[in-house]
Amino acid sequence: MESQTEQNSTLPPDRDSVGAALKAAREAAGLSLGEVADRLKLSLKQLEAIEADRFEALPGAAFVRGFVRNYARFLGLDAVPLMARLEERFPSSVKEVANLSKEVEAASVVSEPEETSGLLGKRAILLVLVVVLAAGAFWFARPGSEPAKDEAKQDLAPMLTEQSTASAPVEAEPVKGASAAVTAPEPAPVPAPAAKPAPAVAAAPASAPVSAPPTAGGGTVKLIAKQDAWVSVIDGSGKKLVFETLKAGAAKEVVGQSPFKLTVGNATQVEVSFNGQPVVMTGKIRGTTARLELK
Amino acid sequence: MFRSLTGYFSNDLAIDLGTANTLIYMRSKGIVLDEPSVVAIHSDFPTNKKSILAVGLEAKRMLGRTPGSIQAIRPMKDGVIADFTVTEQMLKQFIKKVTPSRFFSASPRIVICVPCGSTQVERRAIKDSALAAGARRVELIEEPMAAAIGAGLPVEEPTGSMVVDIGGGTTEVGVISLGGVVYSNSVRVGGDKFDEAIINYIRRNYGMLIGETTAEEIKKTIGSAFPGAEVKEMEVKGRNLAEGIPRAFTVSSNEILEALTEPLNQIVSAVKIALEQTPPELGADIADKGMVLTGGGALLKDIDRLLAEETGLPVIVAEEPLTCVVRGSGKALEKMDKIGTIFTNVP
């Protein structure tokens, strides 16, 4: 690269010097054209053409470079600078492939319309595939959310929350968002929360215990977590009293209408009492999660 | 439609499956692999179960230095597949090495070189090996054609170009015009034969036994094809046959020249036969341009001088002769969809 820029700045003298340099070296060595021709098996015409820089008279780039290199080697000249000077008009076949591959890349990015559409097509296909996959994953993750769009959401709300709490520990993230959105006090339009469930997650657990009204015919549920445990408590009216992860050592007491539906993750590490009576969960633990109803 | 779609995701390859080295060119990336065609196989003793221990450079270092349970072999011999399964495994490993594992990777299209002297059976074997190694489509290209393209010769013009590709196992002489091979000839002489000749010479004249790797080293350091002005010497270590003890001794470039005379003569006569068989019009072109040497053998000192003196024609050595064939196949690969005529067919 450097030699090329250098060569560009001093173009006229350098260009002359491929043939001239060879001629000078030949004369310095005291050789006649005939002797060189005899040794290199080139014709006198070809040699004269080389020394006069009339490379068009030679058969092609590969041969121009080869002949000049042979000549230089015979005279004991360093062929590398000569090759560099020839590079501009007679590019090396070695670089040709490199250039070819670059050309293909360049063409696909900038100029050639066919190639451009090819690359665009590739990106478009990738994009479509990603979108399809994402949509598929989203749809499978929330099996209950589809009907909500079609039917009256108030009627379905308890059912939805029930379903989602049942499956909550397994797939907590998306379901949490969805169900929280549905049971939120303000009846928000369904498609909007469904599209972006993440923000709703933060708000829901905080507001849920506050909105629980202490009613008569109800009871008190007390939870003490020895280790981190995910817990949900839903009272008889379908309200979520607790829907969060209790940190180790945290205790929570909620009041609501019976019957309570409890889902307790990491159940062996949580003590539950109902109206002051400790609840035994041992028979109801599946894996680590206990589901039970308190009346 | 589907073919063009999978084309987006596949990394098309051009492979020069040579006796000595295997080179792989990846579309729009350039040469991505250049390793010796050697495979080291480990065989488990009681079960006799064989597994690939190493391929390429790593395996080459093991060549001739293996214990009983390991076998370092070169699956290609004289330019053709000698061991089908091992070649297939080697190709698989090499292809795996250069293809980035992606989720959407379609199997590649592969352009692969065959010696022009190979039989249909041998071509079929190479093609099947590539297919078994995971290629979607395999195109074969004759080595002289690939070498000529790689050397930058005007292959598609109506003018004759002569190319002499001296590889590890074979020497291919081809005369090319208008995108086709007009005459081609292949002799099973190449770098390996040179090594062998050196080994034999040293055993005969010095009573010393040297290995292939040492012989190759000698060839590269002081080997030449034409008597030069200066005589070079080199110290070599080998086993003395009479005493049975490793000893060091010195060989000179003149002795190596003498050792190489026999295989070199075979190459010269192959070139002369090619010139005899070439149609006169193309012969005139060749007289004007001379011939181009490619392949690792072209790096042997003064081999161009030898051929020039023997034929009286100008001889040039292609730039980077070792990669000529794979670059040519690569160029063919890039233009694959546009030109189909340069590939050869296998039934």
Side-chain angles (χ1 to χ4, degrees), chain A residues 135-151 156 159-168 170-176 178-179 182 194:
Chain A
F138 197 63
W139 194 78
F140 274 113
R142 326 168 36 245
S145 64
E146 276 306 295
K149 284 182 183 172
D150 307 319
E151 318 245 355
L156 278 168
M159 194 185 97
L160 270 178
T161 43
E162 207 172 293
Q163 264 187 8
S164 53
T165 38
S167 60
V170 188
E171 34 194 60
E173 282 296 323
V175 176
K176 221 162 141 187
S179 52
V182 175

Side-chain angles (χ1 to χ4, degrees), chain A residues 192-224:
Chain A
K196 38 175 182 175
V201 179
S207 61
V210 180
S211 64
T215 39
T220 316
V221 177
K222 194 173 176 185
L223 302 152
I224 302 166

Side-chain angles (χ1 to χ4, degrees), chain B residues 267-317:
Chain B
I267 292 175
V268 170
S269 67
V271 170
K272 282 183 173 168
I273 291 170
L275 289 167
E276 266 175 42
Q277 304 281 332
T278 307
E281 283 300 336
L282 297 177
D285 293 335
I286 293 165
D288 201 28
K289 296 191 287 187
M291 66 193 87
V292 178
L293 301 187
T294 65
L299 293 172
L300 183 67
K301 194 166 167 271
D302 284 338
I303 194 164
D304 52 337
R305 182 86 200 281
L306 172 78
L307 284 167
E309 294 296 336
E310 289 285 342
T311 60
L313 297 174
V315 176
I316 61 176
V317 176

Side-chain angles (χ1 to χ4, degrees), chain A residues 112-171:
Chain A
E112 209 172 303
E114 188 187 302
E115 290 288 327
T116 314
S117 70
L119 197 86
L120 274 179
K122 184 176 180 173
R123 288 197 180 139
I125 289 164
L126 272 173
L127 195 75
V128 167
L129 279 172
V130 167
V131 167
V132 166
L133 278 175
F138 197 63
W139 194 78
F140 274 113
R142 326 168 36 245
S145 64
E146 276 306 295
K149 284 182 183 172
D150 307 319
E151 318 245 355
K153 56 183 184 286
Q154 286 92 339
D155 295 352
L156 278 168
M159 194 185 97
L160 270 178
T161 43
E162 207 172 293
Q163 264 187 8
S164 53
T165 38
S167 60
V170 188
E171 34 194 60

Side-chain angles (χ1 to χ4, degrees), chain A residues 38-43 46 59 62-63 65-67 69-70 73 83 92-94 96-97 100-101 104-105 112 117-119 121-122 125-126 129 133, chain B residues 5 8-9 25 28-30 102 104 150-154 288-290 292 302 304-305 308-309 312-320 327 331 334-335:
Chain A
D38 191 40
R39 169 68 188 273
L40 295 180
K41 315 293 172 198
L42 290 171
S43 67
Q46 285 172 323
F63 294 97
R65 295 177 69 84
F67 290 163
R69 205 172 45 229
N70 278 358
R73 204 180 55 167
M83 288 296 117
S92 146
S93 60
V94 177
E96 211 174 302
V97 168
L100 190 75
S101 43
V104 170
E105 263 168 43
E112 209 172 303
S117 70
L119 197 86
K122 184 176 180 173
I125 289 164
L126 272 173
L129 279 172
L133 278 175
Chain B
L5 195 127
Y8 294 139
F9 299 112
Y25 173 99
S28 74
K29 280 226 179 89
R102 284 192 307 181
F104 288 119
L153 303 186
D288 201 28
K289 296 191 287 187
V292 178
D302 284 338
D304 52 337
R305 182 86 200 281
E309 294 296 336
L313 297 174
V315 176
I316 61 176
V317 176
E319 290 174 79
E320 295 193 26
R327 274 188 286 119
K331 223 187 265 187
E334 303 275 2
K335 296 182 182 170

